[in-house]
Amino acid sequence: FPSYVLYTIYFIQACQAETVVRYETETQKDTYGPVTMVVDNLAEIAVNVSDNSTAQLQAKMDRTERDIAGNIEVLTANAVAQLSDVIFQTNELLVANPDCNPAWSLDELNENVTAQLSTCTANLGDLLEDFRVQSQQSMSRVQGFVQQIAELPAKCQLVGASPLNPLASAGAHVCFINGMAEVNVGMAQSMHSASVLLVQTHQAAAEQETQAQQCTGAVVQQVGDYLREEQDQCQS
């Protein structure tokens, strides 16, 4: 979420809060009560905005993870589907004619095909695992800043808690605005890093999917040729 947008929201709300403070300070005996109320309201607004942005980011992370995992499954399933007929036909023929290839084993063939296809999608699998780790770290950093926003009112209330200091309430307000500005910078940087992670992962996934598809295609061709050769030898 662009940092200047969040800061503009906070700045506008802060300006509105100044009006509330000036009005309610005249009508309420509690020196720092109005400021505390305003700061709480501002923090609630900021947390809501940040929560929405965080939820959108989490949804993108989850969708990217599902897409990569789904593509691995599709690549494997498509390859198996292309081989299923020739595997079935060869197995039927060799089981009916055991002398053709006494060492024939359908289980071993399936294990071999599975291993080769797993090798084809290994880089995609590694990319998926790396993304899971990095996305969790990114979300933790973002959520940490949201937590800091939620804790700012209590932190700044201590600054404005001195009834003997006429500037105490103003200090609490300044504490909150400065704190929000600092948190906002960190939040914007974390959001940017997360966005970069998404873009880079999508690019890497597209490249790896192309390579994996070429690899699975080669496996289908090689295994298919081998099985058709087995059929020809058995029928000759």
Side-chain angles (χ1 to χ4, degrees):
F1 200 91
S3 58
Y4 67 86
V5 175
L6 280 174
Y7 187 78
T8 300
I9 293 173
Y10 304 144
F11 182 77
I12 292 173
Q13 293 296 331
C15 291
Q16 294 173 341
E18 291 287 358
T19 303
V20 175
V21 171
R22 284 196 297 269
Y23 173 76
E24 294 199 12
T25 301
E26 295 176 359
T27 59
Q28 189 170 331
K29 293 182 180 179
D30 184 353
T31 302
Y32 56 91
V35 174
T36 301
M37 180 180 66
V38 169
V39 166
D40 285 342
N41 290 338
L42 287 175
E44 182 178 357
I45 293 170
V47 168
N48 288 339
V49 171
S50 300
D51 278 344
N52 289 335
S53 299
T54 302
Q56 293 174 16
L57 177 61
Q58 183 67 67
K60 292 179 180 179
M61 295 290 192
D62 292 343
R63 185 166 58 251
T64 298
E65 182 177 329
R66 288 196 303 270
D67 287 346
I68 297 175
N71 288 335
I72 293 175
E73 293 179 2
V74 168
L75 286 167
T76 302
N78 285 344
V80 170
Q82 293 177 59
L83 286 171
S84 61
D85 287 345
V86 68
I87 289 176
F88 175 78
Q89 293 166 0
T90 304
N91 186 63
E92 288 284 295
L93 178 62
L94 296 183
V95 168
N97 299 276
D99 292 339
C100 291
N101 186 349
W104 170 259
S105 170
L106 179 61
D107 289 340
E108 288 182 7
L109 175 69
N110 287 333
E111 290 176 4
N112 181 269
V113 170
T114 299
Q116 291 188 63
L117 294 178
S118 295
T119 300
C120 289
T121 60
N123 288 339
L124 263 179
D126 291 342
L127 177 66
L128 177 59
E129 290 305 313
D130 289 343
F131 176 72
R132 281 173 174 161
V133 173
Q134 293 183 54
S135 64
Q136 290 174 357
Q137 293 174 344
S138 294
M139 293 308 304
S140 294
R141 284 192 291 268
V142 171
Q143 290 165 351
F145 286 112
V146 176
Q147 183 62 32
Q148 288 183 41
I149 296 173
E151 294 172 353
L152 265 180
K155 176 181 177 181
C156 292
Q157 184 176 344
L158 298 175
V159 177
S162 174
L164 300 178
N165 183 359
L167 299 178
S169 59
H173 199 186
V174 170
C175 167
F176 180 78
I177 297 301
N178 289 342
M180 277 305 313
E182 181 178 347
V183 171
N184 191 40
V185 170
M187 172 77 85
Q189 291 173 343
S190 295
M191 286 289 195
H192 175 71
S193 297
S195 297
V196 170
L197 172 63
L198 283 168
V199 171
Q200 292 178 340
T201 300
H202 280 293
Q203 293 174 342
E207 295 173 359
Q208 295 296 342
E209 286 162 19
T210 299
Q211 295 177 12
Q213 191 168 25
Q214 294 172 346
C215 179
T216 57
V219 170
V220 169
Q221 185 65 46
Q222 292 170 3
V223 173
D225 289 346
Y226 162 73
L227 293 175
R228 282 184 286 271
E229 183 178 346
E230 286 288 318
Q231 292 181 27
D232 290 342
Q233 290 179 355
C234 189
Q235 293 172 335
S236 61

